[in-house]
Every structure is written in structure tokens, then in C-alpha cells.
Amino acid sequence: LPTSNALMDITPRPPVVFTRGEGAYLWDSQGRRYLDFVQGWAVNALGHAPPVIAQALAEQAQALITPSPAYYNGPSLALANTLAQSSCFDRVFFTNSGAEAVEGAIKLARRYGEFHKDGAYEIITFDGAFHGRTLATMSASGKAAFAPLFEPKVPGFPKARLNDLESVEALIGARTIAIMLEPIQGEAGVWPATPTFLKELRQLTRQHGLLLIVDEIQTGIGRTGKLFDYEHATITPDIMALGKGIGGGVPLGALLATEAVSCFRHGDQGGTYNGNPLMCAVGKAVVDTVAAPAFLAHVTAKGETLETALNALAGKHALGATRGRGLLIALDLGREIAPAVVERALQNGLLINAPRADALRFMPALNVTPAEIEDGIALLDRVLSEL
Ligand SMILES: *Cc1c(COP(=O)(O)O)cnc(C)c1O
């Protein structure tokens, strides 16, 4: 469809060029409309082109785009304060992507190990985990397809099994400094860590003097019905990585840590665009909108609506079960038809994602309406009937 294409071919893309978005919908260059349950990959927390983001961008672009990360600016201070006040963390470092936030978390944990644990540097991570595509975050990931790539990997990321405390305990040694996990493994196919497992990890890390790092890039900023998913398990981690939803569609991430753990010395961490006012002004608008109790209650309610509808669909078409929390839900198809469903759905005007061949993942905008959920389910019902 594109008449010339100089883009590196890094992923299969359908022959469609998107030109416009509004709320739950995208339009392509032919004027066709799509109901979007991908939303930039769990990124557009408030849907496509929300007025609150357009306004924040326009106002900030006219006031100050970037002064230099070596100077203070208003929006980064305001957003950092909001995040600190609404979480168990005290300090924030802004990044331009999720991977960069995780990379920062790894560096901070290693620095903490240097200062407090005789140079301990190993971070226990999990089979199936996804933490990003820089060399260190690919090394920290437990995605099987990454294993043979870009050798040699960054060392120091032994892998345990999710929801298996003994597999974690077996890896703890003198060099261990932290345990890092996604509260729900998103890219692997929406596999939640149980609240019990998260509580046990917090206890275990305290017992051994280790840090607990949560990668909430996919689960954070209201996605699972709390501002941060760790709140469901009533734990307080030491470090958190944010990305995706915090920018509502613009490149923004954040590394958060408690005061005791915020041990970077001058020169350890930085970056030209980090904490630029343009992105931080958007982040502030997004977080202020999402953090309102009524907004979060709606996310929970709509997650239940979606899950109930998916279970009914599963019953009708003899599919498997749903899993996940809030508006991060997977439907187990019970057979490897997910890529075919995704392709057919696109042809029918519905965008969904298949994180694995036997499952669909739903990550609509957090302000999706019950009517839009109903429309999406009806489209999916038609696709499943056709297959
Ligand atoms: C998307 C994602 C990342 C990587 O974020 P980028 O912005 O793509 O670098 C890391 N961890 C998790 C859990 C993610 O979902």
C-alpha cells in the first residue's frame, strides 16, 4: 500500500497506513474506520488524540520545549511530585521509553549493591519476562526468542519461575542485589503474579537485604484498576519502572525509587531529553486524569464488563478462559488460531493483538465506553463464527 517504503523491516505490518485517531477509533488512508483495542500497545491510556493531551502539548510547546536536563523545569517538577505523592516512592527520574526506565532500574540496583552489599549486582528475573529491547533489558528478559540473540548478553540476570518461590530462593547468593518482575507478564501473554507470590517476594527480599523492583510499564497508570498494580497486593516495592500509559501516546517513561535506594551520584545517570517539559506536561495531564478515584473505579467496572463478555464468547465458541486484571485481559483460545483471528478482525475493522498463537490480548483505552466494548465483542463474535 505505501508507494515507497524506506523503513527498516523490523516487524510484519498489515498493508494499512493510519492517518487519524479519535478516542477508541483509528482511520486509515482509505477512510476505513477501526475500533482499536491495541491503543498503541497499552499506551494510549485516554484513547486517540484526547483533548487534554492536545491542549497540554499545544500550551507547553508555546511556553518552553526544552531548556536542558541540567536545569529545572516546571512540568518535570510537577509530575515528579504528583508521582511521589501518589505512590510509595520518593524520587523520580524521567526517561524517553520503558526500556530506558528498566535500564535505569538495573543501574540503580547495581549502584546500591556497590554502596551497600559489597558489589553485589545480580538481579533475579523470570522466565517469560519482557523488560525491553536494549542489550541489558533483553538480557533481563526471559523471552525464549531473545535467548540466542546479540550474544554476548549482559551478565547477571538469573531466571526463576513466576509464582514459584522456591525457584527464586534457589538463585539467591552473595552476588544477588535485587529481584525484578512484572506484576502481570504482559508480552508473554498476560500471566499475573499472584498477590501471595508478590507478598512472599517482598518478605524474602527484606529477609535477604535485597531490593524489589516492579516493571509496571504495562500494568501501571490505572491499567489494572489501581494507579499502580502493586497496590492490589498491598506491597511497597523499592524501585518501579513506568512507561507506556504514563505518556498517553507520547514517549515518556519514569524510574521511581524510595529515598533510601535513590543512590545515584552526579554523573551516573542522565540523558539529553530526560524530563523535558513537553513530555512531562503531557504526563501530568494523563496522571491527573487517571488518578481520580472515579476514573479508576470505571476502569475496574469496564474490565469486568469486558471479561464477562469474553467469557460468554468463550462459552459460545468453545474457547478457553480469560486472565488478567482491569483492562489488561487475555482470552485463551484453546488452539493456535490467534494470528488468523487478528488478521480477520482487522479486515472487519477491529484491532486486537495476539501475544501468542493461542491467545488474544485486549488493552483498550482506559476510557473505553461499554458501548464500544459491546461493538468490539460483536465484531469478534462475527470473526470467530467465520473462522
Ligand atoms: C513495553 C514494555 C517494556 C519496554 O518499553 P518500551 O517503551 O518499548 O521501551 C518493558 N517492560 C514491559 C513490562 C513492557 O510492557
Side-chain angles (χ1 to χ4, degrees):
L1 200 90
T3 47
S4 79
N5 181 3
L7 292 171
M8 281 196 193
D9 187 24
I10 50 105
T11 190
R13 295 180 173 113
V16 173
V17 178
F18 289 114
T19 51
R20 192 167 71 83
E22 192 185 323
Y25 293 95
L26 271 177
W27 282 264
D28 70 14
S29 54
Q30 309 296 302
R32 284 202 61 199
R33 191 180 81 152
Y34 302 79
L35 177 58
D36 186 5
F37 281 2
V38 175
Q39 285 288 355
W41 224 266
V43 163
N44 303 324
L46 306 178
H48 289 286
V52 69
I53 290 186
Q55 192 187 336
L57 275 173
E59 281 175 9
Q60 192 56 45
Q62 286 169 46
L64 176 64
I65 291 180
T66 203
S68 159
Y71 301 122
Y72 286 121
N73 73 72
S76 75
L77 286 165
L79 180 55
N81 289 337
T82 297
L83 290 171
Q85 280 156 17
S86 44
S87 72
C88 64
F89 305 99
D90 308 299
R91 298 278 176 178
V92 184
F93 172 77
F94 290 112
T95 66
N96 308 293
S97 70
E100 200 188 344
V102 178
E103 187 89 19
I106 294 166
K107 284 173 65 176
L108 189 61
R110 286 187 172 199
R111 205 69 172 110
Y112 187 85
E114 260 180 86
F115 291 135
H116 301 289
K117 205 164 173 267
D118 204 24
Y121 64 90
E122 281 187 358
I123 300 175
I124 297 170
T125 59
F126 290 85
D127 288 339
F130 179 80
H131 295 297
R133 292 175 184 280
T134 64
L135 267 179
T137 55
M138 281 182 95
S139 305
S141 296
K143 188 176 158 120
F146 283 0
L149 301 180
F150 311 123
E151 293 292 299
K153 291 280 191 306
V154 176
F157 300 102
K159 306 288 183 306
R161 285 182 303 275
L162 194 67
N163 296 325
D164 177 349
L165 196 71
E166 278 177 25
S167 77
V168 181
E169 277 181 304
L171 294 175
I172 296 175
R175 288 190 297 266
T176 313
I177 190 59
I179 296 171
M180 175 165 74
L181 82 167
E182 307 154 79
I184 299 175
Q185 287 191 344
E187 296 308 299
V190 190
W191 300 103
T194 66
T196 309
F197 182 64
L198 288 167
K199 282 198 182 98
E200 287 170 345
L201 281 185
R202 183 63 283 192
Q203 218 174 353
L204 189 69
T205 46
R206 289 243 156 87
Q207 200 179 315
H208 290 268
L210 307 176
L211 304 176
L212 182 62
I213 307 171
V214 286
D215 177 347
E216 292 236 21
I217 290 166
Q218 194 153 144
T219 53
I221 312 296
R223 176 59 50 186
T224 70
K226 301 267 189 196
L227 191 55
F228 307 110
D229 189 79
Y230 71 75
E231 296 171 35
H232 288 289
T234 63
I235 57 162
T236 56
D238 301 295
I239 300 177
M240 174 165 72
L242 292 176
K244 298 205 165 97
I246 189 174
V250 305
L252 179 66
L255 163 66
L256 291 85
T258 60
E259 187 68 45
V261 172
S262 300
C263 61
F264 280 141
R265 296 290 190 261
H266 291 175
D268 286 353
Q269 185 69 333
T272 302
Y273 296 117
N274 297 56
N276 72 82
L278 194 60
M279 297 305 117
C280 288
V282 173
K284 177 85 171 109
V286 172
V287 174
D288 283 349
T289 305
V290 172
F295 188 97
L296 290 170
H298 274 119
V299 172
T300 303
K302 283 177 297 198
E304 281 162 10
T305 303
L306 176 59
E307 201 169 351
T308 304
L310 287 173
N311 279 317
L313 210 56
K316 179 175 171 189
H317 295 278
L319 310 170
T322 53
R323 52 181 187 256
R325 267 193 289 278
L327 284 170
L328 179 58
I329 299 179
L331 173 64
D332 181 350
L333 297 172
R335 44 196 185 274
E336 303 207 327
I337 55 168
V341 173
V342 166
E343 197 184 331
R344 279 284 180 112
L346 179 109
Q347 290 160 3
N348 281 278
L350 173 67
L351 303 179
I352 41 172
N353 164 258
R356 19 186 307 143
D358 65 357
L360 299 174
R361 176 173 42 175
F362 300 82
M363 35 194 173
L366 302 183
N367 56 7
V368 67
T369 66
E372 288 158 354
I373 291 175
E374 205 176 302
D375 283 356
I377 294 293
L379 284 166
L380 193 58
D381 186 16
R382 191 197 303 167
V383 167
L384 288 165
S385 304
E386 278 174 21
L387 274 173

